[in-house]
Amino acid sequence: MLSSQGQAPAAAVKYSSIIEELGRSIVSGELQPGGRLTIEGLQARFKVSRTVIRDCMRILESMNLVFSKRRVGIVVQAPRHWNVYDARIIRWRLEGTSRARQFKSLTELRCAVEPLAAAGAARNATQEQRAVVVNLAQQLRTLGEAGRLDEFLAVDIEFHALLLLASGNEMFSALDDVVTEVLRGRTTQGLMPRTPREYSLASHEAVAAAIAGSDPDAAETEMRNLLAEVQEAVT
């Protein structure tokens, strides 16, 4: 007999698999806007309790992928209603046929936000954060030159998340999951070269140096230069 501790992870996996399957179906267009789902139908499909289905629907509702209407059931929402900043929706869109459009939107968002975040980090970062960002840029060069892309990705995510946090702007910092998904998506979708370009490695180092040197103008300029390379890669 399973203990309650054993049941909890199993339940979490089941919830996740249902949300993933339905979320992907909606985002891909397999489930069309206006399409209707029922608790009973989903129970039969996934062979789980009514409570599990209701909990999963609440999560999908929080993403604005569906809404519940009395006497109608669960209705699939049109894309204009989706919470497009939700990391799961971003990931599903990057996996689907709208990948190119999603990369374009995300890169434009990054171009609007990250140069200002880098400038803010140059003004507001703590001494510890300034030292860390330089160290991360050095790690990116070492890992990039060695072609260790999985480790490079993890450090790149940390680098950009730190810049958003160190900017001192809580609105920028709240976008760390969005930036994480687009960085991860470039790697998983094969849009990263096996060995990162020298220009990209040098640009990360230049951004880090500007932040460490408390030079917001240089930090903003160097981040714009870095993102220009990203735009070229995904278009």
Side-chain angles (χ1 to χ4, degrees), residues 3 9 22 27 30 39 42 73 84 86-87 92 98 118 129-130 148 158 169 175 189 193 216 222:
S3 67
L22 292 175
V27 170
E30 180 184 340
I39 298 291
L42 293 171
V84 293
D86 189 288
W92 296 331
S98 63
Q129 288 171 329
R130 295 176 200 275
R148 292 155 61 183
E158 188 176 353
N169 185 319
L175 293 173
Q189 299 295 332
E222 295 298 345

Side-chain angles (χ1 to χ4, degrees), residues 27-71:
V27 170
S28 71
E30 180 184 340
L31 289 174
Q32 289 287 313
R36 298 179 186 179
L37 304 169
T38 65
I39 298 291
E40 294 75 15
L42 293 171
Q43 276 185 269
R45 174 176 172 179
F46 293 106
K47 297 179 172 52
V48 293
S49 70
R50 191 177 187 86
T51 299
V52 169
I53 294 299
R54 285 190 180 279
D55 288 345
C56 290
M57 290 306 101
R58 275 193 279 270
I59 292 171
L60 292 176
E61 280 191 80
S62 74
M63 301 183 211
N64 290 336
L65 292 178
V66 301
F67 70 93
S68 297
K69 191 170 183 179
R70 196 172 180 182
R71 297 193 182 90

Side-chain angles (χ1 to χ4, degrees), residues 53-157:
I53 294 299
R54 285 190 180 279
D55 288 345
C56 290
M57 290 306 101
R58 275 193 279 270
I59 292 171
L60 292 176
E61 280 191 80
S62 74
M63 301 183 211
N64 290 336
L65 292 178
V66 301
F67 70 93
S68 297
K69 191 170 183 179
R70 196 172 180 182
R71 297 193 182 90
V72 173
I74 301 155
V75 182
V76 176
Q77 293 261 50
R80 68 179 181 277
H81 297 296
W82 299 348
N83 177 6
V84 293
Y85 289 103
D86 189 288
R88 289 161 294 192
I89 292 179
I90 291 170
R91 184 171 69 252
W92 296 331
R93 292 178 75 186
L94 290 176
E95 292 170 352
T97 56
S98 63
R99 180 180 71 180
R101 187 166 65 252
Q102 176 72 138
F103 269 123
K104 182 177 184 293
S105 296
L106 288 167
T107 302
E108 288 176 352
L109 176 66
R110 292 184 66 195
C111 288
V113 169
E114 289 196 74
L116 295 180
R123 285 190 292 267
N124 301 317
T126 65
Q127 288 305 312
E128 180 182 1
Q129 288 171 329
R130 295 176 200 275
V132 170
V133 78
V134 170
N135 179 262
L136 291 173
Q138 292 169 345
Q139 289 183 53
L140 287 173
R141 175 166 290 281
T142 299
L143 295 169
E145 290 178 344
R148 292 155 61 183
L149 274 193
D150 289 342
E151 294 165 89
F152 181 93
L153 172 61
V155 175
D156 200 24
I157 288 171

